[in-house]
Amino acid sequence: PVSENGWITHIKDPELESDTPPIDIFKSGKGVLFGGYTSGAIKFWDGHKLTYLCQHLSTVTCVTISESENYFVSGSQDGEVILWISRSEGFAVESRVVDHNKKVTSVDISENLGCYCSSSEDGSINIYSILCSQQLIRAIRPAETRPIHRAMLCPGSPAVLLTYSKNDSTLATFSVNGEELNSVTCKGNTMKSPLITRDHNFNRYLVFGNELGEITIHMVPNLNWNISFRITEEMPIRTVVVSSDMRYIIASCSDGELTIITDPTKL
């Protein structure tokens, strides 16, 4: 939409789910990225100045910053995925692809693996090379066609791709070559604030909350070992944070309460 004076107006898209806003934060304190505007803009706030990154043509539905903060990836309502690079003068488009025919639901990036990925309501997950611009490494189509609402790259041995569909609460792992390794059905129908972490023995875990007030931990990649904690009665989990040594989990809930779980893998 354009205002009377010819300026583009940035209006929040009312169709976006309020519990999964397209926001990510630079851990170095560099700033915050916001999507979710019908103009397709991404807002970057550095604490002093607001900058608009206007490359998408439809609402940005997801955004993820790389660990080094040299890159970030964004996906939009029309199926477009853009890889951005951070330069001294600002952000620039490194590559763009439109391989999904429905909304992009999540994006992730791993510089350790040299790739980034996207998932979509069309049921596909695509993996692209960071260095070879626009090169599609692998297109994964799970056997059962369902929208994929989350895809996460997990470096390690072996490197795996985690996917989640809230349609049937299916959590699955794939090799980066597209072979399905395992799948389980989770409680609830949302995956809140998912993250991948390691303990001192280098075991990998997926940690996330749900709308039932539970936190669940799955060992990656087999998913067979898992534990759940109910920390509140029927109150959705909003945010989950795990300490680097996997000794503490901090969770915030919709009721404003903050809960700390100690040594979760020993319970």
Side-chain angles (χ1 to χ4, degrees), residues 55-234:
Q55 289 293 330
H56 284 282
L57 299 179
S58 65
T59 303
V60 171
T61 53
C62 47
V63 58
T64 299
I65 301 167
S66 70
E67 289 188 1
S68 71
E69 302 186 352
N70 291 326
Y71 300 93
F72 77 86
V73 188
S74 57
S76 60
Q77 191 82 36
D78 60 1
E80 183 179 47
V81 176
I82 295 180
L83 174 67
W84 303 75
I85 187 169
S86 178
R87 297 192 173 125
S88 57
E89 65 273 16
F91 300 102
V93 173
E94 184 75 356
S95 67
R96 67 170 78 226
V97 289
V98 187
D99 289 334
H100 295 294
N101 55 38
K102 289 186 179 180
K103 180 176 79 173
V104 179
T105 52
S106 75
V107 289
D108 196 16
I109 181 167
S110 171
E111 289 177 86
N112 286 335
L113 296 177
C115 60
Y116 61 101
C117 72
S118 59
S119 64
S120 171
E121 287 185 344
D122 65 12
S124 64
I125 309 103
N126 294 333
I127 304 176
Y128 302 94
S129 169
I130 293 175
L131 298 179
C132 299
S133 179
Q134 300 182 352
Q135 180 183 352
L136 177 65
I137 297 175
R138 185 71 57 184
I140 299 175
R141 305 291 190 273
E144 295 184 25
T145 303
R146 64 171 79 90
I148 302 297
H149 298 97
R150 176 74 68 165
M152 301 174 69
L153 293 163
C154 182
S157 181
V160 298
L161 175 74
L162 284 151
T163 68
Y164 177 77
S165 174
K166 66 182 182 182
N167 281 39
D168 55 7
S169 302
T170 297
L171 174 66
T173 51
F174 294 82
S175 71
V176 291
N177 292 321
E179 176 189 0
E180 183 168 343
L181 304 176
N182 204 357
S183 64
V184 294
T185 301
C186 302
K187 294 180 181 179
N189 58 10
T190 57
M191 178 182 278
K192 304 281 189 178
S193 191
L195 55 89
I196 297 168
T197 188
R198 291 170 170 79
D199 63 15
H200 62 279
N201 292 320
F202 300 101
N203 294 312
R204 294 175 290 174
Y205 301 93
L206 170 68
V207 185
F208 60 92
N210 64 21
E211 80 282 5
L212 303 177
E214 296 178 337
I215 292 178
T216 300
I217 305 174
H218 284 277
M219 185 174 281
V220 178
N222 57 40
L223 303 178
N224 291 329
W225 182 92
N226 71 88
I227 52 176
S228 294
F229 314 94
R230 180 177 291 277
I231 62 174
T232 182
E233 289 297 328
E234 303 297 327

Side-chain angles (χ1 to χ4, degrees), residues 11-53:
I11 302 171
K12 278 287 188 180
D13 191 333
E15 295 184 3
L16 277 187
E17 298 179 19
S18 60
D19 62 342
T20 54
I23 298 173
D24 205 3
I25 301 171
F26 289 89
K27 294 182 176 63
S28 64
K30 180 178 180 178
V32 184
L33 295 170
F34 304 85
Y37 301 94
T38 54
S39 62
I42 298 173
K43 291 184 178 182
F44 172 64
W45 171 248
D46 65 1
H48 305 282
K49 183 178 68 173
L50 189 62
T51 304
Y52 293 92
L53 308 175

